[in-house]
Amino acid sequence: MTIRILLVDDHPLVRDGLRARLEAVPGFEVVAEAGSAAEALEAASVHAPGLVLMDINMRGTNGIEATAAFRARFPDIAVLILSMHDKQEYVSQAMAAGARGYVLKDAPGKDIVVAIETVMSGGIYYSAALARQLVRAPAQEELTSREQEVLRHIANGESNKQIARELDLSVRTVETHRLNIKRKLGIEGQAELIKFAVQRARDL
């Protein structure tokens, strides 16, 4: 299924770069751009995006306030923050406003792709630098039901292809779930993930 994206940033050059990067990814489509919160809300009503990639620093209504407005008017549209600010207060405010993730502008390009896929799969995404700063709730409570299913299959020693076949998902989606699980658990290597899955299998 194509992921329809609305870009919101008051710098046209930034939007041009994001559009070029995202439209090179199969399954991504940038359906509209906006330079302000008001333009973004209007564009959303016309183009029906599935996800909004939102900057924080904008003239007039900022991205955090715009995120809250999106949650109120378009609760089915996911908002992903893309910002240069790495302060925890910005992250906390954005998530409280209803954002589903927060990516730093200086993060590797692949992080934006993974973040979009994670959010559209029902997860929550933080850039690695931010995740290390945040005080996280117990990891097991943070996993979605789908992520717990994937973790159970990992405990059984199944590959991504096997898990995808068992759960009727694409391999890319399984890979995204696996990355999100590792990020939530603070795990880096595959061996550590498998060890954790086996140890916790009885509790899932």
Side-chain angles (χ1 to χ4, degrees), residues 1 9 24 41-42 61 73 79 96 100 115 122 150 165 170-171 181 197 200:
M1 183 178 296
D9 194 297
L41 290 166
E42 182 178 353
T61 303
R73 288 185 54 182
V79 177
R100 298 297 305 276
V150 171
R165 189 164 51 247
S170 69
V171 173
I181 290 169
R200 296 297 295 269

Side-chain angles (χ1 to χ4, degrees), residues 74-169:
F74 306 105
D76 294 331
I77 298 178
V79 177
L80 175 63
I81 299 294
L82 178 63
S83 175
M84 61 182 289
H85 296 293
D86 62 356
K87 300 293 185 183
Q88 185 172 338
E89 63 179 294
Y90 284 103
V91 181
S92 299
Q93 290 172 10
M95 303 308 284
R100 298 297 305 276
Y102 198 112
V103 184
L104 296 176
K105 284 187 174 180
D106 62 358
K110 64 179 181 180
D111 281 17
I112 298 176
V113 176
V114 174
I116 291 172
E117 293 176 339
T118 298
V119 167
M120 295 306 291
S121 296
I124 294 174
Y125 187 96
Y126 300 97
S127 284
L130 295 173
R132 288 191 290 268
Q133 297 178 28
L134 299 175
V135 178
R136 308 300 298 270
Q140 189 59 40
E141 295 180 7
E142 293 185 355
L143 298 182
T144 66
S145 58
R146 178 64 84 184
E147 287 164 353
Q148 291 185 31
E149 283 185 299
V150 171
L151 195 59
R152 277 195 291 269
H153 286 279
I154 291 173
N156 292 334
E158 296 177 26
S159 68
N160 287 343
K161 288 184 178 179
Q162 290 172 316
I163 297 172
R165 189 164 51 247
E166 287 287 331
L167 299 181
D168 195 25
L169 300 172

